[in-house]
């Protein structure tokens, strides 16, 4: 098999040929016989399953790394001597880097070898994460810089991995595999809190908590290189009457902005990102301050701090995430038998139900720790119903050659208005609650101010539910348009010129 063969696992990084844009001529020898035996994607069913498992493992590591910092946040604050506003910057800097680089990797992912892009990005992410664990206490800005660079690796993966799954499976099977893939978000997030807090306790030093995921990241690169095979883009969805062709990046963006289901579901997902980003960073700290407020624990004056709340919150996140993703996919599957609008309706239901439980968890924190944990569990369960469904919506309302760009656009918008600023915003609102003339920065005041600022999340969740309800108005039409997509008169076609293919507008051929 030649290196230029787009079906090969060794597709050159700078190959400009789409896996879906052509196939070998009939009777072309042994390679033709191989294509008949292989699935349309070019990847065997067994290898497809292993590919999803590897991608799920890497996604789990991504979210473990994100929330390990949140799991040891009290120790980081004590070590560097920083306040709530600067603590929020740790998450904001990472998300901003991740957000602004996503379009770059989305563009590359729609055009070049996705496996190579992900391998380089994950390797870089592992090295930078390891470096961030060696920052001295005088250089908090260096910790911020390394956390920002971690976003480079994560952007290279998160924008591309779902598109590979989309090129391996269709319909119900795709939804199932996406559910498996997105199980890694709540499970990885919860493991970040659990591993971070336990490693901190065992080593007596929070730096060691940041040294777990880099080693696993190098294992992920090896698995990615030797297990994952690059599938043909869109081949599994190809229709015999036409083939999909790439358009310019500007053309892709115009098409996405004219897709109401994609735009509205992206705004709905932005609300999910805002709430999860706020809770991810501040919930363990809030639970710790609630325990100090009620006298159950002493304040953290000198590290290592008590991280048991991070451990409990991590366990809740894992269990509620598994239940939420699974129940969301199952409810959506059953509801599809009654209405094609099932997916956005389930997403709306999840957000609207999570809001009151999160409100009760925040309000009951000083009265009943048990009730607080129960309400957090219920709120996170309903919130997690969205993860796999939102990804599935994007994949079936967007044509295959625009999916990585659509993933990148959704990442930018949801993080720009969601979890890029929400942790920092919550920290700033928390600081504004201090009155230097009437109040001192004591544990009761720290708890009350953070409690009031976290209430913002409940109102954002309700707004997100409204966006998903609006998505339901357009979802059927946009899904049919993507399924029956054919290039328009303004898009290029391929005509021979001097022995090679050249892309020209249709109008010039007709004239």
């Amino acid at each position: 098999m030649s290196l230029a063969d787009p079906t090969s696992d060794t597709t050159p990084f700078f190959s400009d040929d789409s896996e879906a844009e052509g196939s070998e001529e009939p009777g072309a020898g042994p390679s033709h016989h191989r294509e008949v035996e292989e699935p349309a994607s070019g990847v065997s069913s067994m290898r497809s399953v292993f590919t999803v498992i590897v991608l799920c493992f890497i996604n789990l590591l991504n979210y473990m790394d994100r929330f390990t910092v949140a799991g040891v946040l009290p120790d980081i604050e004590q070590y560097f001597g920083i306040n709530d506003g600067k603590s929020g910057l740790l998450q904001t800097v990472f998300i901003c880097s991740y957000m602004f680089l996503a379009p770059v990797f989305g563009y590359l992912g729609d055009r070049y070898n996705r496996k190579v892009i992900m391998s380089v990005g994950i390797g870089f992410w592992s090295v930078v994460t390891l470096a961030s664990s060696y920052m001295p206490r005088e250089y908090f800005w260096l910790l911020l810089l390394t956390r920002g660079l971690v976003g480079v690796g994560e952007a290279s993966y998160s924008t591309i991995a779902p598109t590979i799954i989309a090129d391996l499976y269709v319909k119900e099977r795709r939804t199932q595999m996406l559910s498996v893939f997105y199980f890694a978000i709540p499970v990885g997030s919860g493991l970040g809190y659990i591993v971070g807090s336990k490693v901190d306790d065992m080593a007596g030093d929070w730096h060691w908590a940041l040294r777990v995921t880099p080693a696993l990241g190098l294992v992920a690169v090896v698995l990615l290189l030797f297990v994952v095979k690059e599938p043909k883009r869109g081949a599994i969805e190809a229709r015999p009457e036409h083939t999909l062709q790439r358009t310019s990046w500007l053309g892709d963006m115009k098409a996405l902005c004219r897709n109401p289901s994609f735009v509205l579901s992206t705004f709905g997902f932005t609300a999910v990102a805002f709430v999860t980003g706020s809770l991810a960073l501040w919930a363990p700290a809030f639970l710790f301050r609630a325990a100090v407020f009620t006298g159950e624990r002493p304040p953290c004056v000198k590290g290592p701090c008590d991280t048991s709340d991070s451990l409990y919150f991590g366990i809740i996140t894992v269990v509620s995430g598994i239940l939420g993703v699974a129940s969301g996919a199952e409810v959506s599957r059953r509801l599809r038998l009654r209405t094609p609008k099932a997916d956005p309706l389930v997403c709306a239901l999840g957000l609207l139900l999570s809001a009151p439980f999160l409100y009760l968890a925040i309000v009951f924190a000083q009265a009943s720790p048990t009730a607080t944990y129960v309400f957090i569990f219920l709120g996170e369960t309903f919130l997690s119903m969205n993860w796999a469904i939102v990804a599935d919506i994007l994949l079936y309302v967007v044509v295959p050659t625009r999916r990585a760009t659509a993933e990148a656009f959704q990442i930018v918008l949801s993080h720009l208005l969601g979890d890029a600023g929400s942790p920092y915003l919550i920290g700033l609102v928390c600081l504004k609650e201090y009155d230097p003339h009437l109040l001192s920065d004591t544990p009761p005041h720290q708890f009350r101010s953070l409690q009031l600022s976290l209430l913002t999340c409940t109102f954002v969740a309700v707004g997100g539910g409204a966006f998903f309800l609006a998505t339901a108005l357009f979802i059927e039409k946009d899904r049919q348009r993507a399924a029956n997509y054919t290039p328009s008169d303004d898009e290029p076609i391929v005509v021979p010129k001097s022995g090679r293919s050249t892309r020209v507008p249709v109008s010039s051929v007709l004239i």
Side-chain angles (χ1 to χ4, degrees):
M1 184 179 295
S2 68
L3 292 177
D5 185 351
T7 67
S8 171
D9 194 36
T10 56
T11 302
F13 175 74
F14 291 106
S15 170
D16 194 40
D17 294 325
S18 172
E19 292 89 332
E21 285 185 0
S23 59
E24 298 179 7
E25 293 296 328
S31 62
H32 173 65
H33 179 68
R34 174 188 54 77
E35 284 193 84
V36 172
E37 294 179 346
E38 282 188 346
S41 64
V43 183
S44 67
S45 58
M46 183 62 70
R47 195 164 187 178
S48 296
V49 171
F50 283 127
T51 294
V52 173
I53 293 173
V54 172
L55 295 179
C56 185
F57 171 67
I58 300 172
N59 204 29
L60 185 143
L61 290 183
N62 269 331
Y63 283 87
M64 273 185 65
D65 178 75
R66 287 194 199 187
F67 298 114
T68 298
V69 170
V72 295
L73 188 61
D75 280 305
I76 293 177
E77 287 184 329
Q78 191 278 328
Y79 181 82
F80 288 102
I82 56 177
N83 57 29
D84 289 343
K86 289 185 177 179
S87 298
L89 278 176
L90 286 170
Q91 188 79 346
T92 297
V93 167
F94 159 74
I95 293 297
C96 286
S97 170
Y98 170 60
M99 171 183 67
F100 288 119
L101 288 167
V104 176
F105 289 107
Y107 177 88
L108 296 174
D110 275 336
R111 289 158 176 81
Y112 304 114
N113 190 296
R114 292 170 286 188
K115 191 172 80 170
V116 173
I117 297 171
M118 290 191 295
S119 299
V120 173
I122 294 167
F124 180 79
W125 156 71
S126 300
V127 172
V128 173
T129 300
L130 182 63
S132 69
S133 69
Y134 290 97
M135 297 298 110
R137 67 177 70 240
E138 297 85 8
Y139 296 98
F140 176 69
W141 66 271
L142 273 179
L143 180 64
L144 288 178
L145 176 62
T146 55
R147 292 307 295 172
L149 292 176
V150 167
V152 177
E154 294 210 20
S156 69
Y157 173 78
S158 298
T159 55
I160 295 173
T163 69
I164 292 181
I165 297 176
D167 287 336
L168 295 173
Y169 298 99
V170 292
K171 299 182 179 180
E172 295 295 333
R173 188 66 170 161
R174 176 190 288 172
T175 303
Q176 293 171 359
M177 290 301 176
L178 284 172
S179 298
V180 172
F181 178 76
Y182 283 103
F183 271 131
I185 295 180
V187 173
S189 302
L191 287 177
Y193 296 112
I194 295 170
V195 172
S197 61
K198 294 306 292 183
V199 171
D200 187 7
D201 289 341
M202 294 171 61
D205 184 356
W206 65 269
H207 293 86
W208 284 98
L210 300 183
R211 296 167 188 168
V212 177
T213 52
L216 296 174
L218 296 178
V219 174
V221 172
V222 173
L223 292 174
L224 189 61
L225 290 173
F226 291 99
V227 176
V228 175
K229 182 179 180 180
E230 177 85 354
K232 304 174 187 177
R233 285 186 182 89
I236 199 169
E237 300 166 284
R239 296 175 296 279
E241 65 270 18
H242 68 274
T243 57
L244 295 176
Q245 300 175 15
R246 293 194 194 100
T247 55
S248 66
W249 182 85
L250 184 60
D252 290 345
M253 292 303 300
K254 287 181 179 179
L256 292 175
C257 290
R258 292 195 297 265
N259 188 327
S261 294
F262 170 73
V263 173
L264 290 169
S265 63
T266 297
F267 279 116
F269 185 67
T270 300
V272 177
F274 185 100
V275 176
T276 54
S278 300
L279 293 177
L281 187 68
W282 290 113
F286 174 69
L287 294 169
F288 174 77
R289 293 183 187 183
V292 173
F293 177 79
T294 57
E296 295 180 10
R297 294 197 188 105
C300 180
V301 179
K302 184 178 181 180
C305 301
D306 187 346
T307 56
S308 58
D309 291 300
S310 295
L311 176 64
Y312 301 147
F313 184 72
I315 295 172
I316 288 175
T317 301
V318 170
V319 178
S320 64
I322 292 174
L323 290 176
V325 173
S327 61
E330 181 61 20
V331 171
S332 177
R333 185 186 69 82
R334 292 178 180 272
L335 194 58
R336 284 175 189 171
L337 301 176
R338 296 177 176 269
T339 173
K341 301 177 180 180
D343 288 346
L345 291 178
V346 172
C347 290
L349 180 67
L351 275 170
L352 294 175
L353 288 177
S354 70
F357 288 112
L358 293 176
Y359 177 85
L360 291 173
I362 295 169
V363 171
F364 272 84
Q366 74 273 20
S368 173
T370 302
T372 300
Y373 281 114
V374 171
F375 289 135
I376 287 178
F377 173 79
L378 293 172
E380 286 206 315
T381 298
F382 288 118
L383 197 63
S384 298
M385 292 175 67
N386 291 271
W387 290 111
I389 302 176
V390 172
D392 203 14
I393 290 174
L394 181 149
L395 293 173
Y396 66 62
V397 299
V398 176
V399 296
T401 53
R402 293 176 180 146
R403 283 173 180 160
T405 300
E407 290 279 355
F409 182 86
Q410 189 172 85
I411 286 172
V412 169
L413 191 60
S414 63
H415 291 307
L416 179 65
L417 303 179
D419 56 352
S422 63
Y424 184 59
L425 177 64
I426 294 296
L428 282 182
V429 173
C430 181
L431 289 175
K432 292 293 184 182
E433 295 298 325
Y434 297 140
D435 187 336
H437 302 292
L438 301 177
L439 302 174
S440 58
D441 189 6
T442 59
H445 301 137
Q446 290 179 344
F447 166 71
R448 288 295 189 189
S449 59
L450 186 54
Q451 183 182 46
L452 291 173
S453 60
L454 283 174
L455 288 174
T456 307
C457 296
T458 61
F459 299 101
V460 173
V462 173
F467 278 115
F468 279 119
L469 289 176
T471 304
L473 300 176
F474 303 95
I475 193 73
E476 188 175 5
K477 181 179 178 182
D478 290 335
R479 183 172 190 167
Q480 290 296 326
R481 182 186 294 118
N484 300 317
Y485 171 78
T486 55
S488 67
D489 290 344
D490 296 327
E491 295 181 3
I493 62 173
V494 178
V495 297
K497 179 180 179 181
S498 301
R500 60 182 296 181
S501 296
T502 303
R503 296 180 185 273
V504 298
V506 175
S507 56
S508 65
V509 179
L510 297 178
I511 292 173

